[in-house]
Amino acid sequence: MWTEQLKEAAAFIRDRDDFLIVSHVQPDGDAISSTVTVAWLLDKLGKQYTMLNEGPVPSRLRFLWKSSEIRSMDEAGAADGQPQARTYRNVICVDCADYARVGRTEQWFAPDAELLNIDHHPTNNGFGRVNLMKTHAAATAEILFELLDELGLELDTDVATAIYTGLLTDTGGFRYSSTSPLVMAMASRLLQAGVNGPELAEHLLERMTPGQLRILQRGLSRLELSEDQRIAWLWVTSDDLEDTGATNEDLEGLVNYPRNIEGVEVGLLFKQNGEQSVKVSMRSAGRVNVAEVAQAFGGGGHVRAAGCRFAEPLAETIRQVIGQVRKALDAL
């Protein structure tokens, strides 16, 4: 089955040209590294392509090959509600847990667009014309590593660095349970191809911006625990980001602090974007399937890492999410 998926995905790429490559809104390391990896393989095959995301590339990922060519909707897209002059019939979606995660880039899809959906999220419903999905993969970058082999493309330092970045960030520095023997074997091949592992680990996992430090201080000052100390959460607002000089990308990893407290089963981060808009990030110690918790609110993700959005006030969002997590804990 997996071999057939690889062959079908390879045929989708070989038999077509003029592609649009998109990843999910508020892209992370796996999303951007997967975007440029697909661009690299299309480049090697002599294909035409455009890379697009709803938002900008996080600054810490701008070292990746051709990441500067990933266009944002603010830079290049049509205004909301207006038709997009240039659309694409061949679309490759990477690391999108569901179709909604492509965000406003959908404006660039032709009415008869056909999608190649490459993803590793268990909540993905297979929205593509062709679906290359491995739900137990550590990262979408892992899947793309295998696709490169299927296409017979040799690794160089540029693409090896991109794939390693996806693996490194989505496994938390090769610490999460998704770090399989296959992942480590891939990492070995990538290092042999010229990846500077220690430099990437320092840059992507260790270094902290002043804004990140300040938003961490503010968030931790609000950290709360449930009475049984199995749920921990904190919250930040758009005003907090402005006050501290932090950006959305500085919030990455903040949810791990409540999760890392001894005895905590589920850690939560609530990011309020307005009076009626809250983004929720969830992390599990392993016993609670937070993907199922997120799905109850229209979200998705992985067993240990998931998220969703609410059009509710912050206090009501916190109440509903914690209530759902309590139900999941009571069912254990």
Side-chain angles (χ1 to χ4, degrees), residues 5 10 13 71 76 150 164-165 169 216 222 236 261 297:
Q5 284 191 50
I13 291 169
R71 305 171 75 182
E150 177 65 30
Y164 193 93
T165 294
T169 53
L216 172 62
R222 297 167 176 157
V236 296
I261 299 170
F297 302 112

Side-chain angles (χ1 to χ4, degrees), residues 26-233:
Q26 295 187 347
D28 57 8
D30 192 26
I32 296 300
S33 65
S34 295
T35 299
V36 299
T37 296
V38 171
W40 181 93
L41 72 84
L42 292 175
D43 197 70
K44 293 297 181 184
L45 296 173
K47 306 288 186 177
Q48 299 297 311
Y49 61 86
T50 296
M51 295 181 284
L52 180 70
N53 194 277
E54 179 171 306
V57 175
S59 59
R60 69 192 182 94
L61 297 169
R62 291 175 189 165
F63 68 92
L64 290 170
W65 180 86
K66 287 200 174 182
S67 61
S68 62
E69 297 182 15
I70 300 176
R71 305 171 75 182
S72 72
M73 290 295 291
D74 290 340
E75 296 169 342
D80 285 338
Q82 299 298 316
Q84 169 60 33
R86 171 66 165 97
T87 59
Y88 293 79
R89 188 168 184 273
N90 302 310
V91 181
I92 301 177
C93 302
V94 293
D95 203 39
C96 294
D98 56 62
Y99 183 74
R101 293 288 282 158
V102 305
R104 292 185 294 130
T105 65
E106 184 186 19
Q107 295 177 33
W108 288 54
F109 300 3
D112 60 347
E114 295 189 326
L115 276 58
L116 169 56
N117 168 28
I118 307 176
D119 186 44
H120 70 126
H121 294 90
T123 54
N124 192 301
N125 64 0
F127 58 81
R129 166 68 176 79
V130 174
N131 298 287
L132 182 59
M133 302 191 317
K134 182 190 280 189
T135 58
H136 61 274
T140 299
E142 175 184 331
I143 298 171
L144 290 172
F145 184 102
E146 296 190 64
L147 182 58
L148 294 189
D149 276 350
E150 177 65 30
L151 290 165
L153 299 174
E154 293 293 328
L155 296 170
D156 65 15
T157 303
D158 289 330
V159 75
T161 298
I163 295 173
Y164 193 93
T165 294
L167 294 176
L168 183 73
T169 53
D170 253 28
T171 61
F174 304 112
R175 292 182 295 113
Y176 299 160
S177 60
S178 57
T179 307
S180 66
L182 177 60
V183 167
M184 299 311 291
M186 288 179 179
S188 177
R189 282 184 58 187
L190 296 169
L191 291 168
Q192 290 171 13
V195 170
N196 188 328
E199 183 178 275
L200 285 179
E202 169 67 23
H203 175 71
L204 294 167
L205 304 177
E206 302 296 334
R207 207 166 295 164
M208 182 179 291
T209 67
Q212 190 174 6
L213 176 60
R214 288 191 288 268
I215 199 68
L216 172 62
Q217 290 174 314
R218 185 161 299 191
L220 289 179
S221 71
R222 297 167 176 157
L223 191 145
E224 295 186 52
L225 286 159
S226 60
E227 289 184 4
D228 60 9
Q229 299 194 344
R230 293 194 295 171
I231 310 170
W233 66 94

Side-chain angles (χ1 to χ4, degrees), residues 266 282-284 288-295 300 302-307:
V266 177
M282 310 176 186
R283 297 293 183 270
S284 170
V288 174
N289 184 339
V290 290
E292 292 181 353
V293 175
Q295 279 185 304
H302 299 282
V303 171
R304 289 174 176 259

